[in-house]
Amino acid sequence: MIVVGLTVAAIPEGLPAVLTVTLAIGVQTMARRNAIVRRLPTIETLGAVSVICSDKTGTLTRNEMMVATLLTADGRYDVSGTGYEPEGAITREGETTDPETTPALADLARIAALCNTAALHEGEHGWRVEGDPMEGALLALAAKLGFGHEDREQPQDSIPFDAEYRYMATLHRPDGETTVALVKGAPERILDMCGSELADEGSRPLNREHWLQHAEAIANDGQRVLALAMKEHGGSAIDHDDIAEGLVLVGFVGLIDPPRPEAITAVADCQSAGIVVKMITGDHAGTAAAIGRQIGLKRTGKVVTGADIEAMDEASLAKAVLDTDIFARTSPEHKLRLVTALQSHGHVVAMTGDGVNDAPALKKADIGIAMGITGTAVSRDAASMILTDDNFATIVKAVVNGRNIFANIRNSIRFLLSGNTSGILVVLWTSLAGLPVPFLPVHLLFINLLTDSPPAIAIGMEKPGKDLLEQKPRDPREEILNRESRQSVLLQGILLAVPTAVAFLAGLGTSPAAARTMAFATLAMARLY
């Protein structure tokens, strides 16, 4: 009976149920806060996150784009308007411009509308875009320039956007005879494919430095820069070789996508919690740096581009990731290398992604976070957590919940093991003293399952404290029962065992049954107290 009593006292029978219920409740809580956890261990890992690598568009920003600037070979124009509403003015140096009198603006409108797969719809709550938000902004621009929805035509052929090439193209026959290729993409990529530029007097040799300087200036205003070009094409199909050179640059457009106000607060919370936020985007380096400054990133003076990453070996990249918070013009392959480099320093990395090619990086990261709105099915399958609102602030809320759940589980385990320790100490003391067994196995089972488990579950449901974000990330190698926890369990066990032993001795004067009753009642009530 002593052996059975010690065995029952040593095993916390309610622990599996407490852990499962606590984690399940944590998953439900996070789901209500727009973070769907696909794997339960992710909750525990969230408490140890030390680096969050986030995309910019839609996660740190609103993903409500609008064209604010136009640049042609003859000058710079400002565009007014609200969101995707296709109404606004085109001004140059404060004076309104008629797009119909400016050939470059007319061609910009045509490319913006035709080299496009999105659609705009007017609903009860204003205009909304069906498709990519950037392309929706280009459709709104085309309408402001006088190119309406009724003027759009289906392309004869097209090259969809690809992160490797960083452009898309469509083929059209506007006059019924000559086909024209319309192209839009990253400025530095399109400039490499252009041989001339379009001015009011016609085409002329390309002034590459002029365009690069203006692109840098627009990007430094926090705008995303996009280049639009075209080329006469004689065939009925188009491929990459057809537009690899000889394009005529029509102009640049600058799109604004303001930061989310809650993202600014969330970045500040991360910094106070010892979590480093790194922005990884496909945008221009100047745009990325400007947005980084707006959301409060600390190190915005240095930007590493995708070209820089490709030129680095693994050792150089591992060194660069420590003192760089902004990575621009990156591809999904670069994300995978960045995750590996950060993990080589022992960081627990959370990585966001939404594309098919992001799946390897999401798998490699300690916590892969997919976008629920813009994310592909492949990225969601590869991720361990999904954001239903594509909002960076939701990641921070999930980290807080993860830290809180881990702390609650640790406290629950402390509570359960302290009770078991007290039972072991009492049984051990009576056996060494030659006294009757203080507990029957059913007594200990009753305490473990009915007296200990419900309070332990209640402890697991404790709400997060205000100081959670002021604590540093937990070391992932730290044991759940660290030295402090073990000392706490032993001390609480002794404090519970002493009054239980005293009650048992007091009851022995009557009978062993009375002693067991008094010991059982004392331990059960002491646990609840």
Side-chain angles (χ1 to χ4, degrees):
M1 290 301 294
I2 292 174
V3 172
V4 173
L6 284 172
T7 303
V8 174
I11 300 174
E13 288 82 5
L15 183 58
V18 170
L19 294 181
T20 304
V21 171
T22 301
L23 289 174
I25 292 174
V27 168
Q28 290 180 340
T29 301
M30 294 174 69
R32 288 195 297 268
R33 298 179 179 178
N34 301 317
I36 299 175
V37 176
R38 300 182 65 244
R39 302 179 183 93
L40 281 181
T42 300
I43 297 178
E44 185 265 341
T45 309
L46 278 168
V49 168
S50 57
V51 177
I52 300 176
C53 297
S54 175
D55 190 14
K56 177 183 73 69
T57 304
T59 308
L60 294 169
T61 60
R62 295 180 179 178
N63 203 20
E64 297 175 356
M65 308 193 83
M66 188 190 83
V67 176
T69 304
L70 299 178
L71 181 67
T72 68
D74 297 302
R76 178 170 172 169
Y77 301 84
D78 296 319
V79 183
S80 65
T82 304
Y84 298 116
E85 186 176 351
E87 294 181 6
I90 313 298
T91 59
R92 181 178 179 182
E93 297 179 354
E95 297 184 2
T96 303
T97 300
D98 184 4
E100 295 182 359
T101 62
T102 309
L105 292 182
D107 285 329
L108 271 177
R110 188 155 60 106
I111 299 172
L114 298 182
C115 189
N116 200 311
T117 60
L120 286 179
H121 303 284
E122 185 176 13
E124 296 180 0
H125 304 288
W127 289 84
R128 62 179 181 86
V129 61
E130 181 183 324
D132 187 89
M134 180 190 68
E135 293 193 333
L138 292 178
L139 289 180
L141 169 68
K144 295 173 185 177
L145 294 173
F147 197 101
H149 174 75
E150 64 279 0
D151 299 321
R152 295 184 71 185
E153 60 186 51
Q154 292 295 322
Q156 291 191 346
D157 196 13
S158 65
I159 300 175
F161 177 82
D162 189 294
E164 178 181 354
Y165 293 97
R166 291 189 292 163
Y167 64 76
M168 74 166 289
T170 56
L171 188 65
H172 299 267
R173 195 186 300 270
D175 57 5
E177 297 180 3
T178 306
T179 54
V180 178
L182 308 179
V183 186
K184 75 171 189 290
E188 57 269 31
R189 182 72 178 93
I190 299 299
L191 285 173
D192 291 339
M193 301 159 63
C194 291
S196 59
E197 61 187 40
L198 182 64
D200 289 342
E201 67 273 12
S203 61
R204 63 190 186 194
L206 180 70
N207 185 349
R208 182 183 177 89
E209 293 302 319
H210 164 82
W211 290 99
L212 287 176
Q213 290 176 3
H214 281 81
E216 189 74 25
I218 296 173
N220 288 337
D221 291 335
Q223 298 182 30
R224 183 176 183 177
V225 186
L226 201 64
L228 283 71
M230 61 182 185
K231 177 184 180 181
E232 289 191 0
H233 181 70
S236 58
I238 187 173
D239 58 28
H240 293 290
D241 293 335
D242 295 329
I243 55 176
E245 58 183 7
L247 294 180
V248 178
L249 182 63
V250 178
F252 286 174
V253 297
L255 301 101
I256 57 173
D257 184 14
R260 293 177 183 261
E262 61 270 28
I264 298 174
T265 303
V267 169
D269 289 340
C270 284
Q271 292 170 350
S272 66
I275 300 173
V276 179
V277 178
K278 297 185 181 294
M279 183 171 68
I280 304 176
T281 178
D283 282 352
H284 188 276
T287 305
I291 296 297
R293 288 190 293 269
Q294 293 177 29
I295 64 174
L297 294 184
K298 290 185 176 180
R299 293 170 291 195
T300 58
K302 178 183 178 182
V303 179
V304 172
T305 65
D308 297 331
I309 295 175
E310 291 179 358
M312 295 179 185
D313 57 19
E314 301 307 322
S316 300
L317 183 59
K319 183 179 179 180
V321 294
L322 292 180
D323 58 4
T324 305
D325 287 346
I326 301 176
F327 299 87
R329 290 297 187 215
T330 58
S331 66
E333 292 77 12
H334 298 149
K335 286 186 176 183
L336 181 59
R337 291 190 62 193
L338 289 172
V339 170
T340 305
L342 288 167
Q343 289 176 332
S344 68
H345 295 286
H347 286 295
V348 177
V349 183
M351 167 68 75
T352 66
D354 56 8
V356 173
N357 293 337
D358 290 331
L362 294 176
K363 277 284 189 182
K364 178 65 176 176
D366 298 281
I367 298 179
I369 304 172
M371 302 295 108
I373 299 175
T374 60
T376 61
V378 174
S379 66
R380 291 195 292 269
D381 287 342
S384 52
M385 189 170 78
I386 300 172
L387 303 182
T388 59
D389 59 355
D390 293 9
N391 192 341
F392 180 82
T394 303
I395 302 176
V396 180
K397 294 177 184 176
V399 170
V400 172
N401 281 329
R403 289 186 175 188
N404 182 59
I405 290 170
F406 183 85
N408 289 346
I409 288 175
R410 172 175 279 173
N411 291 335
S412 297
I413 292 175
R414 284 180 180 179
F415 175 79
L416 291 172
L417 293 186
S418 63
N420 285 48
T421 301
S422 62
I424 292 172
L425 292 176
V426 174
V427 173
L428 205 57
W429 168 72
T430 55
S431 64
L432 293 175
L435 299 174
V437 177
F439 302 110
L440 297 178
V442 69
H443 295 154
L444 295 171
L445 283 174
F446 183 92
I447 292 175
N448 285 346
L449 295 177
L450 297 180
T451 306
D452 286 357
S453 295
I457 292 175
I459 293 173
M461 296 172 62
E462 284 286 333
K463 294 182 179 179
K466 295 182 179 180
D467 62 336
L468 269 181
L469 277 178
E470 298 175 1
Q471 301 172 9
K472 299 302 179 184
R474 175 179 54 82
D475 187 345
R477 295 167 297 181
E478 180 184 357
E479 299 174 344
I480 194 166
L481 275 179
N482 54 18
R483 182 177 180 181
E484 179 187 354
S485 297
R486 291 193 295 269
Q487 291 175 346
S488 175
V489 167
L490 181 59
L491 178 60
Q492 293 178 27
I494 293 173
L495 292 176
L496 291 171
V498 170
T500 304
V502 171
F504 181 74
L505 284 176
L508 279 179
T510 304
S511 68
R516 290 192 187 101
T517 302
M518 293 180 65
F520 171 76
T522 301
L523 182 57
M525 296 305 295
R527 297 292 292 137
L528 293 176
Y529 178 77

